[in-house]
Amino acid sequence: MIISQSFHFDKIAMIFERFSPSKNLFSLLNQQVRSFARDPFPNKLTHYLHRAKLIDSIRLALRSNSPNSLNPLLQTRLLDSFVVANAFRSAPSADSAISFFENLKQVPNFAHSQNTIFAFATVLAKFKRKVELKALIGDAKDGKFNNVKASFMNLLFWYSTAGDLQKVLETWEEYRNEENRLSTEAHNIVMGLYAKKDMNFEAVEAFRGMIDQGVIPNSRTYTILIEHLVRLGKLDAAMEVFTVLPSMRIKRTLKQFLILVEGFVGGERFDVVKSLLKEMREDGKLPGRAMRIYLERMKEAGFAGETDEFLVEMLPDGRIKSVGSCEDSSDEDEDEDGDDDVNEGVDVHTVKLKPWLDPKALANALKQWSPEVVTILEDAKFVWTSRLVCKVLRNFTSPETAWNFFCWVASQPGFSHDIYTVQRMMTLLARHGNVELVDKLINKVRREQMILPFSTIRLLVEFYGISKNADAALKVFRNDRTLCGHISRFNLMLLYSSLLRALTKCRRNTDALDILDEMILNGICPDIQTFSGLIYHFALQGDIKTVQQLFSMIRQSGMEPDAYMFKLLIQAYCKCQRAALAYRVFVDMRNSNLMPDAATKDLLVKSLWQEGRRKEAVIVEERYEETDGVLPLALRGHVWTVSSEDLTRVYSIYSNSVIAPA
C-alpha cells in the first residue's frame, strides 16, 4: 500500500514537471510552505513590539502632509488585521481613515476581518459620515468582505454613534422580531441616544420598558441616567441615583465619578466634590487625567488639601517620550504609556503623539513568561506607571504569569508598587484561589501601613466564594477588614452580605446561619436582597425549616417579602420537585395582593401537573383569569443584588426629574 502511494505521488510530480513552466515547482512550493509555516518571530512579545512600531508609523503617516508616506508601510509582511484595526482606531479624521481604506485595496493578499471592518465603521460613525457608513454596511451585507458579518448589536452601536435615530429604531424593531429578549446593552444604546437628543419622555419610557421586561440594568445604564440628569442641571437627583448603586451591588465607575465631579465643580458645590473624592478612595479608583482640570479649579477655590494627592497622580510623566509630531491629533483619549520609536521620513510639525500601546495585547504577549521574554521586555524600555501596570494586570488570564510580572516590575527603575497595583494583584489571585500569595500581599499592606480600599476587602471575600475558599473568606472578614480603616454600618452590612453569599456558594450552610445570627446580634439588619439570596439557596436544597425561619426574621425586621422574593421561592421549590410547597407560596403571595410574572405562573402550573396536583393547577389558572389574563412580563429584581424597591426608587427619581410636570 505504501509503495503504491509513493508511486502515485511520483506520477503526479512527473505530470506537474511536464506542464509546469518551472522544473523546480515542487521545490519552490516546499520552500514557500516551510517559509510560511515558520514563525518569523521567536516569541509573541517580539511580534507585539514590531507591530507596535508599524502602528506608530502608520499613525504618523495618517497625520502627514505627504500623500505617499503611507504606501511603503503597507508593503511589509507585518501588515495584518490586528495592525490595520488599531491603525483605524487611531485615525485623526474620517478622511484619513477612508484614504487608508482605499490604499489597502492595493495591497495584495490582504483581506479585511471582522475587527478591521468594525474599527473602520466605528471611525465613520464617530465622525458622522452616514453615507459612507451606509455603503460600508451594505458591502458587508453583500458579502464583499468574505465572512465579515454585521450583527444587530454592531448596527445599533454604529447608528447610535452616528446619531442616526431613525436607523437605530429600525434596527431595534428588526432585532426585537429576531430575539425573544434583547440584551442590556441594546436597551442602553436606545435609551442613551434618546437622552443625548434630549428626548426626555422617550428616554424615561425606554428605561421603564427595560426594567419591566426583567432586563437588569448595568453600570453603563446608570452612567446614562446620571449623565442625562447632570446635563439637565439635576445634580441632586444624579447624586441620589449614584448613592443607590452600592445597595444594588452595582459597580460605580470612574466615568460616573468624572461626570459628577464636573457637574458639582461647575456648580461650585465643592463640599459634594470632597465627598465624591473620599468615596473614590474607598472604591479604590485611580482617577483619570480627564478629571485634572476640575480638581485644579477646586484647588484654586481653596481646597488644596483635598485635591493635591490626586493631582500628583495625574501629572504627565516626563519619562514618556513622543513617537513624533504631527499637524493634527485626535488621540486625547490615548493615555497609555509605552516605548518610544521616532519614525523617520514623515512630515512632522507641532503636536506630540504618544507611543501606541494596547495593555490587553501586551498581556497576551507575556503569556509565555521566560528569561528570554524578560530580557526583551527590559530592552523595550517601557515606562511603567501604576496606571499601566494595573491595566496589564487586569488583562492577564493566568495568575502565575500575573504574579511573575508583578514581581518583575517591582524591580524596574522608577517604579514601585502602590495600593492600586497591590489591590489589583490581590483580587486576581483571590479569584483563582491562591490564598498563600494573597496573604503575602496582605502582610505587605499591613507592614507598610497602607490603607486598603473597602471595595477590595469585599472583592476578596466575594472572589474567595467563587474559588470555593470559605475559610479564606472568613479570615479576610475576621482579621483583615481593619486594613481599610473605619467601616460604616451600611458598608458593614454589604460586607456581611458578601460573606453570606460566599459561604452559600461553598455550601457552608451552618457557617452562613451562624454569620447571619452574628450580624443581627451586632445590630446590622440584612437588606431584602440578602434575605432573598439566602431563601433561594435553602429552598433549592429543600430545607423548609430554614426557609420558614428566614421568613420570620424578615417580618421581625419590619420588612415584608416582595413579589420577587416570592417568585424566587416558587422557582426554587419547582426546581427541586416540591410543587406543593410552591403552591403554598403562591397562596401566600396572593394573600399579600401580589402576583407572579407570566413565566413563574407557567412554571408553577407545569410543575403541579407533573406532580399530579391538577386541582391546585386549576386554582392557579383561575386566579390568573381573575386578573383579566394580564400578568407582568417580568418582576423587578435580581437574586442577592437588586431589589424591586431600589429599581422602583431609581425609576421614580429619574422620571420625576427628567419629565417636567405639566
Side-chain angles (χ1 to χ4, degrees):
M1 185 70 180
I2 295 174
I3 296 173
S4 64
Q5 282 183 350
S6 174
F7 173 78
H8 180 65
F9 286 129
D10 288 342
K11 194 170 182 181
I12 291 174
M14 289 173 62
I15 294 170
F16 264 97
E17 283 182 16
R18 185 184 305 169
F19 292 99
S20 170
S22 168
K23 299 250 178 151
N24 296 319
L25 176 63
F26 259 67
S27 173
L28 180 62
L29 286 173
N30 285 336
Q31 288 175 10
Q32 287 181 338
V33 167
R34 283 196 297 271
S35 171
F36 286 116
R38 273 200 308 266
D39 192 336
F41 301 103
N43 53 63
K44 287 186 175 182
L45 180 57
T46 303
H47 191 189
Y48 169 87
L49 294 172
H50 279 82
R51 278 171 156 178
K53 289 179 71 173
L54 178 57
I55 291 168
D56 274 334
S57 298
I58 294 174
R59 290 168 68 209
L60 286 169
L62 290 174
R63 292 159 172 79
S64 169
N65 281 336
S66 173
N68 298 320
S69 59
L70 187 60
N71 293 333
L73 301 173
L74 305 184
Q75 305 309 315
T76 172
R77 64 178 297 183
L78 276 173
L79 190 79
D80 58 16
S81 61
F82 178 87
V83 171
V84 169
N86 282 284
F88 272 128
R89 293 187 189 109
S90 301
S93 65
D95 287 337
S96 64
I98 292 169
S99 174
F100 183 40
F101 183 77
E102 292 301 320
N103 280 325
L104 286 169
K105 293 179 179 178
Q106 312 305 318
V107 179
N109 301 322
F110 176 79
H112 281 287
S113 68
Q114 197 80 28
N115 287 338
T116 61
I117 295 301
F118 182 86
F120 181 42
T122 301
V123 174
L124 294 176
K126 175 184 171 184
F127 289 101
K128 315 300 185 209
R129 300 292 284 267
K130 297 179 184 179
V131 174
E132 291 88 342
L133 177 62
K134 182 180 178 181
L136 181 67
I137 292 171
D139 288 345
K141 287 182 175 179
D142 291 341
K144 292 186 179 179
F145 304 115
N146 297 326
N147 294 323
V148 174
K149 303 293 183 185
S151 69
F152 282 118
M153 282 302 299
N154 291 154
L155 296 176
L156 280 175
F157 173 74
W158 291 329
Y159 292 139
S160 67
T161 304
D164 193 335
L165 180 60
Q166 182 180 347
K167 295 297 292 183
V168 165
L169 296 179
E170 288 175 5
T171 306
W172 171 266
E173 287 302 321
E174 191 177 351
Y175 194 1
R176 283 174 58 179
N177 293 333
E178 294 276 339
E179 303 285 341
N180 291 329
R181 179 170 168 175
L182 302 186
S183 68
T184 301
E185 287 307 319
H187 285 274
N188 286 346
I189 286 173
V190 174
M191 184 174 67
L193 190 55
Y194 279 139
K196 283 180 182 177
K197 291 184 174 292
D198 291 326
M199 300 174 68
N200 299 339
F201 176 79
E202 289 80 359
V204 169
E205 285 298 294
F207 181 56
R208 185 183 63 80
M210 179 182 190
I211 57 179
D212 283 350
Q213 292 172 39
V215 179
I216 302 301
N218 58 18
S219 292
R220 203 187 318 272
T221 311
Y222 295 108
T223 301
I224 292 167
L225 301 190
I226 291 168
E227 189 170 27
H228 191 192
L229 290 166
V230 169
R231 193 169 62 251
L232 294 174
K234 309 288 185 177
L235 296 178
D236 290 325
M239 192 66 185
E240 199 174 349
V241 170
F242 184 72
T243 305
V244 178
L245 299 188
S247 174
M248 296 191 289
R249 281 60 166 180
I250 295 290
K251 179 182 176 182
R252 298 192 295 190
T253 67
L254 197 54
K255 185 172 182 181
Q256 291 167 359
F257 278 105
L258 174 62
I259 292 166
L260 289 168
V261 167
E262 178 184 359
F264 282 105
V265 167
E268 297 187 351
R269 294 176 60 181
F270 299 118
D271 55 330
V272 182
V273 180
K274 282 172 59 178
S275 173
L276 285 167
L277 295 179
K278 179 177 178 291
E279 292 187 47
M280 276 182 66
R281 289 191 187 92
E282 290 182 356
D283 283 6
K285 299 296 181 191
L286 181 60
R289 294 184 186 125
M291 198 178 287
R292 180 181 173 187
I293 184 173
Y294 306 111
L295 296 189
E296 284 177 341
R297 283 182 58 186
M298 188 173 173
K299 182 178 180 179
E300 291 168 2
F303 293 87
E306 292 81 0
T307 57
D308 278 347
E309 177 188 344
F310 287 115
L311 284 171
V312 168
E313 292 166 349
M314 296 178 192
L315 289 174
D317 196 318
R319 298 172 297 161
I320 304 172
K321 308 301 179 185
S322 64
V323 295
S325 305
C326 52
E327 284 190 333
D328 185 25
S329 173
S330 62
D331 292 280
E332 294 174 3
D333 293 331
E334 292 186 12
D335 59 354
E336 310 291 358
D337 308 322
D339 59 332
D340 55 306
D341 167 46
V342 179
N343 185 70
E344 297 180 1
V346 177
D347 196 16
V348 295
H349 287 284
T350 55
V351 179
K352 300 296 181 183
L353 203 60
K354 289 181 183 177
W356 176 88
L357 194 147
D358 182 342
K360 183 176 181 179
L362 179 57
N364 184 57
L366 297 175
K367 273 184 180 178
Q368 299 169 330
W369 192 266
S370 66
E372 179 190 10
V373 168
V374 169
T375 301
I376 296 168
L377 194 57
E378 290 172 348
D379 292 342
K381 305 297 181 188
F382 284 99
V383 177
W384 296 107
T385 64
S386 292
R387 192 182 309 278
L388 176 58
V389 170
C390 285
K391 288 181 178 180
V392 175
L393 285 173
R394 183 176 60 202
N395 285 289
F396 279 120
T397 54
S398 161
E400 291 81 11
T401 308
W403 180 253
N404 287 332
F405 170 76
F406 182 84
C407 295
W408 169 84
V409 79
S411 64
Q412 297 311 294
F415 178 80
S416 60
H417 284 296
D418 57 18
I419 198 61
Y420 298 109
T421 58
V422 170
Q423 68 165 353
R424 178 70 69 181
M425 189 70 244
M426 288 170 70
T427 51
L428 174 64
L429 292 169
R431 188 177 194 115
H432 288 85
N434 202 319
V435 179
E436 184 180 347
L437 292 180
V438 173
D439 286 345
K440 188 177 289 189
L441 289 176
I442 285 175
N443 290 335
K444 172 184 172 69
V445 169
R446 187 174 279 114
R447 187 172 59 251
E448 298 183 11
Q449 297 184 331
M450 295 180 179
I451 298 178
L452 270 180
F454 169 72
S455 63
T456 303
I457 296 294
R458 267 189 69 202
L459 280 175
L460 290 178
V461 170
E462 290 173 0
F463 285 156
Y464 277 142
I466 292 171
S467 59
K468 303 295 188 290
N469 280 280
D471 290 330
L474 283 164
K475 175 190 170 295
V476 170
F477 180 82
R478 298 282 186 217
N479 304 335
D480 303 325
R481 74 188 197 212
T482 55
L483 293 173
C484 62
H486 172 71
I487 302 177
S488 68
R489 290 178 66 83
F490 174 73
N491 280 346
L492 191 55
M493 184 276 292
L494 293 178
L495 188 57
Y496 267 113
S497 182
S498 295
L499 179 60
L500 288 168
R501 189 176 187 184
L503 291 172
T504 57
K505 281 180 182 290
C506 300
R507 301 298 178 93
R508 297 278 287 267
N509 295 346
T510 302
D511 287 326
L513 293 175
D514 288 344
I515 289 293
L516 179 63
D517 288 339
E518 174 192 312
M519 181 181 183
I520 293 171
L521 285 173
N522 288 335
I524 307 295
C525 183
D527 59 6
I528 198 74
Q529 298 97 298
T530 303
F531 276 123
S532 293
L534 289 170
I535 284 174
Y536 185 67
H537 169 74
F538 286 105
L540 277 176
Q541 298 183 34
D543 190 342
I544 316 306
K545 182 179 178 181
T546 301
V547 170
Q548 290 173 341
Q549 289 175 345
L550 290 169
F551 259 99
S552 297
M553 286 182 182
I554 291 171
R555 292 196 164 100
Q556 288 170 8
S557 301
M559 293 183 282
E560 284 294 327
D562 61 8
Y564 191 78
M565 182 181 287
F566 282 119
K567 166 188 170 170
L568 287 175
L569 203 47
I570 291 172
Q571 288 179 336
Y573 283 147
C574 289
K575 283 182 181 178
C576 58
Q577 287 80 50
R578 306 292 292 270
L581 292 173
Y583 175 73
R584 283 166 54 184
V585 174
F586 172 78
V587 173
D588 288 343
M589 190 177 189
R590 290 298 296 126
N591 290 338
S592 300
N593 294 319
L594 299 171
M595 277 295 286
D597 56 27
T600 306
K601 187 272 294 183
D602 291 343
L603 174 65
L604 176 58
V605 170
K606 180 180 178 182
S607 299
L608 289 168
W609 275 99
Q610 287 175 342
E611 295 184 27
R613 298 183 176 275
R614 299 178 182 179
K615 179 181 176 182
E616 290 88 345
V618 170
I619 292 173
V620 172
E621 291 287 11
E622 287 174 349
R623 291 293 183 92
Y624 165 63
E625 290 172 2
E626 289 173 8
T627 65
D628 296 326
V630 178
L631 289 177
L633 186 62
L635 295 176
R636 298 174 179 179
H638 190 264
V639 64
W640 284 109
T641 57
V642 183
S643 72
S644 172
E645 181 182 352
D646 282 337
L647 273 177
T648 303
R649 180 184 170 192
V650 170
Y651 171 74
S652 177
I653 295 167
Y654 184 53
S655 60
N656 291 339
S657 303
V658 168
I659 302 176

